[in-house]
Amino acid sequence: MSGPPEWVALAWRLPARSSTPRVTTWRNLQRLGAARLTPGAALLPFREDLQEQLDWLAQDIETQGGEAWVLPVTGLSESEERVVRERMAADRDEEYRVLEEDALAFIARRSTGPAPDDAFAARLQIDKELLALQRRFRKIRARDYVDAPGRGAAAQAVDRCLAFRQGISPKVLPVTDAEVTAQQKEDDA
């Protein structure tokens, strides 16, 4: 099968002397949103920026005395692709679920106490928490290559938190998909 790559794989082997390099490698791959294939292989959709990130990871693995290969994949079988997409969706759904729980906990915590009227530090803290929730959503969304089903519920929960916005930070904006798309277009302009 030939043609442009659809996926890019990282296959590696690290020395057994320490688990730290393996943990670091997996954490870096999780930040990218990679699907785990085996204990020494992961897969991402093919994009030049993602391939570059995998190239950097491969260099890091080799620096630590391991071996690594970044391999373009022109196609997977239907069942293989389904498994990869299911793993990616499950990983992102879990991240969205935790974010949704944190947003709902924020709402519950803020709903029980009176809103601070003049305590600037307390009002600033509320906006900082809102920005942190929104930043987490955007990071998860950036590595959600398969449009995981939990995204909508997480976005709605984060957006419900905006009822507590204090007006200090102009960066506190809705994160729903329509808003994210509009904001991205604005940022690109």
Side-chain angles (χ1 to χ4, degrees), residues 17-120:
R17 64 180 174 261
S18 171
S19 65
T20 303
R22 283 187 295 285
V23 170
T24 301
T25 299
W26 270 115
R27 285 186 180 154
N28 288 329
L29 287 165
Q30 285 175 327
R31 272 192 287 278
L32 291 173
R36 182 179 185 150
L37 300 177
T38 68
L43 196 67
L44 283 164
F46 180 80
R47 287 190 346 214
E48 288 185 21
D49 62 321
L50 294 175
Q51 182 174 358
E52 183 178 354
Q53 292 292 318
L54 292 182
D55 286 337
W56 282 103
L57 275 172
Q59 286 179 353
D60 187 50
I61 289 166
E62 290 169 355
T63 300
Q64 297 174 48
E67 298 175 318
W69 301 268
V70 177
L71 308 165
V73 178
T74 55
L76 298 172
S77 72
E78 193 174 303
S79 63
E80 291 168 334
E81 186 161 336
R82 184 180 62 252
V83 167
V84 168
R85 289 182 176 282
E86 287 171 354
R87 287 181 185 174
M88 287 180 163
D91 290 345
R92 295 306 78 73
D93 266 347
E94 176 62 18
E95 289 181 284
Y96 284 132
R97 186 191 60 73
V98 170
L99 176 61
E100 180 183 7
E101 287 176 2
D102 291 348
L104 296 175
F106 171 88
I107 291 169
R109 191 173 60 252
R110 294 299 172 192
S111 295
T112 58
D117 289 329
D118 58 335
F120 184 78

